[in-house]
Amino acid sequence: MTLDVKGRKIAIVGLGKSGLAAARLCLREGAKVVGFDEGGQAGPEVNALVGEGMALRLGPLGADAFAGFDRVVVSPGVPPREAFDAAEANGTPVIGELELAAHFTETPIVLIGGTNGKSTVTALVAAMIEAAGQAVFIGGNFGTPLAEAVLDDRGYDALVVEISSFQAERVPELRAKVHALLNITEDHLDRYPDFAAYAQAKGNPFVNMTADDFAVIPQGDPRCAAQAARGGAQVVTFSGEESPEATVALDPTGKALVDRRRGLLVPLAHSPLRGQHNVSNIAAAIAVASALELPGAAIVGGLERFSGLPHRAVMVRERAGVRFYDDSKATNVGAAVAALAGLVEPKAVLIAGGRDKQGDYAPLVEALAQKGRALVLIGEAADRLAEAVGDTVPVVRAASLEEAVSRAAALASPGDAVLLSPACSSYDMFKSFAARGDAFAAAVLALAEEDA
């Protein structure tokens, strides 16, 4: 599958982590590399690559920017451009960094996709593979570009890659051993023309899969099933509930997950993860592990060693009988709904808002009707959220996250939760969801005990 780029003129568009890794890989393979970045300035890493032979073009992309190039490699953060359409019209392939990297490895690739839960499942699958004594790379949207795994040449036994819709847009030849598509709910409608286009991107990695490969999808989910049917992989299904039809599902006791494909019973007590959404995540991870033929002991070992990821429904503190949870990673409506539904507390004060992604807030309003004590709104999306929620629960606004925490604490009753699960991106107020979560945790920890 190796792509011959030696002596070829390759454009790398977007010089963040993915673009830099792609450029290094192409330089190693003897390509003539030109890096494009619309940001207008170059940092130390970019200048280092220029020193290694990469040419550099900064500023906006003209329609004919890629005339004379043999291939264009696009970083996932770069949105559609007229220049990409023009290149393809002239017969120049336009691919993503993930597609490029996959051409330079024979190691089995395990993709974990979906709107929500993919980071947790990615990390959990990697923990299970490690527990089996295998060397595993974990990356992609999780943090480290796949091209880095190809460059470091550590002799991995498996490459576990979290794949976003952006990364899946341009993967014409990518073939994974396993592709898990956990769910498809509204997200990134600020980038895609409609929900169907977003779903289509999510399903692209299935296309080249064969009967030797495995598609892992939720039982009874027609959206994911339709995408899996675009390829020829064997289908393995999972459910976080009792389901006789699912390959992996909750057993009748509600205390274990059963893998019917291999006759394994995995007690949930082995996992520190809590919440109904995490039962589904664990079931998905077991389904992937089953497809990889990992031993039962490795599945249990991976569950025991994985305690969760930062900013994903993590309890920060209990104060005056109220638990405060950081779920800043919930940057879309589906994630916030799952977090609310997964709380053990009967009622919650939700802190939500941020940069609007143009999704439908109706599912969140329904969840608030069931579990909401009140809603505290922050950020640019506050007006649209307030209009959607109406008088379903009391709504207050805050000018800062610190003010939101103070107001939420005052609204909560003993036995409640205060949940930061914004349903929006962070970029109106913070540089990342992690920075937003850290600010929330700091504000929660600063609440005085004597005010309780």
Side-chain angles (χ1 to χ4, degrees):
M1 190 182 175
T2 301
L3 183 68
D4 183 14
V5 298
K6 187 174 182 180
R8 306 291 178 88
K9 192 174 181 181
I10 308 296
I12 307 293
V13 186
L15 297 176
K17 287 198 296 185
S18 292
L20 291 169
R24 283 192 287 268
L25 178 57
C26 288
L27 286 170
R28 188 192 75 175
E29 296 298 318
K32 299 174 182 177
V33 178
V34 180
F36 290 77
D37 198 281
E38 296 179 283
Q41 57 184 358
E45 288 185 276
V46 172
N47 289 328
L49 284 177
V50 170
E52 294 175 24
M54 182 182 79
L56 183 61
R57 297 183 189 175
L58 301 175
L61 296 172
D64 60 349
F66 307 119
F69 282 83
D70 295 294
R71 193 169 298 266
V72 179
V73 180
V74 183
S75 296
V78 180
R81 291 284 185 263
E82 182 184 356
F84 302 150
D85 297 334
E88 290 178 319
N90 290 327
T92 303
V94 181
I95 64 173
E97 173 266 330
L98 195 58
E99 169 80 16
L100 173 76
H103 280 276
F104 293 93
T105 181
E106 298 297 324
T107 304
I109 295 174
V110 178
L111 298 176
I112 310 295
T115 307
N116 300 309
K118 55 186 180 290
S119 294
T120 294
V121 175
T122 298
L124 188 48
V125 168
M128 291 174 178
I129 295 172
E130 285 182 337
Q134 299 180 26
V136 60
F137 166 81
I138 179 170
N141 194 58
F142 197 85
T144 305
L146 182 60
E148 291 287 354
V150 176
L151 285 163
D152 68 23
D153 193 25
R154 295 186 189 177
Y156 293 111
D157 297 301
L159 305 170
V160 180
V161 178
E162 178 185 330
I163 182 169
S164 69
S165 62
F166 298 172
Q167 290 170 311
E169 287 172 358
R170 299 180 180 277
V171 288
E173 297 179 65
L174 175 67
R175 178 183 167 193
K177 179 65 179 174
V178 182
H179 178 206
L181 184 57
L182 306 179
N183 45 61
I184 311 175
T185 60
E186 282 193 351
D187 198 7
H188 298 301
L189 297 186
D190 50 350
R191 171 147 167 165
Y192 295 97
D194 52 36
F195 178 70
Y198 170 67
Q200 184 83 358
K202 284 289 188 187
N204 283 341
F206 286 120
V207 172
N208 297 314
M209 298 177 77
T210 72
D212 294 327
D213 308 318
F214 295 89
V216 175
I217 59 174
Q219 176 65 37
D221 187 321
R223 291 171 178 167
C224 291
Q227 295 302 323
R230 293 168 63 191
Q234 299 179 54
V235 175
V236 177
T237 60
F238 68 90
S239 175
E241 300 176 350
E242 188 178 352
S243 172
E245 296 84 12
T247 311
V248 178
L250 203 62
D251 82 335
T253 71
K255 297 181 179 180
L257 288 160
V258 58
D259 174 6
R260 295 186 175 93
R261 183 170 173 270
R262 296 197 298 161
L264 295 176
L265 191 69
V266 183
L268 289 169
H270 287 296
S271 174
L273 301 180
R274 294 294 177 262
Q276 180 58 40
H277 61 298
N278 276 323
V279 177
S280 182
N281 289 337
I282 294 167
I286 293 173
V288 173
S290 177
L292 294 172
E293 302 292 341
L294 295 183
I299 292 173
V300 170
L303 280 175
E304 290 176 337
R305 70 174 61 179
F306 180 70
S307 58
L309 295 171
H311 310 298
R312 291 158 178 87
V314 176
M315 192 178 83
V316 176
R317 178 187 183 188
E318 183 170 349
R319 171 187 178 273
V322 176
R323 295 189 182 99
F324 292 76
Y325 293 93
D326 168 15
D327 192 46
S328 183
K329 182 62 169 64
T331 59
N332 60 70
V333 172
V337 169
L340 263 175
L343 290 172
V344 296
E345 293 80 8
K347 291 290 182 180
V349 178
L350 177 67
I351 300 175
R355 178 150 294 167
D356 196 358
K357 298 167 90 171
Q358 300 303 312
D360 181 5
Y361 289 118
L364 184 59
V365 177
E366 185 178 339
L368 282 167
Q370 297 296 316
K371 297 203 70 164
R373 174 77 67 191
L375 173 65
V376 181
L377 292 175
I378 58 172
E380 293 175 356
D383 287 345
R384 189 162 173 256
L385 269 162
E387 182 180 358
V389 172
D391 59 0
T392 303
V393 294
V395 176
V396 300
R397 298 176 186 242
S400 67
L401 193 49
E402 292 76 15
E403 182 185 351
V405 167
S406 178
R407 285 178 171 262
L411 289 163
S413 299
D416 286 354
V418 169
L419 173 68
L420 171 69
S421 196
C424 300
S425 70
S426 60
Y427 301 123
D428 58 338
M429 297 170 69
F430 300 93
K431 67 179 181 180
S432 66
F433 73 83
R436 178 171 60 189
D438 289 343
F440 171 78
V444 169
L445 294 172
L447 290 172
E449 286 288 355
E450 55 266 27
D451 292 340

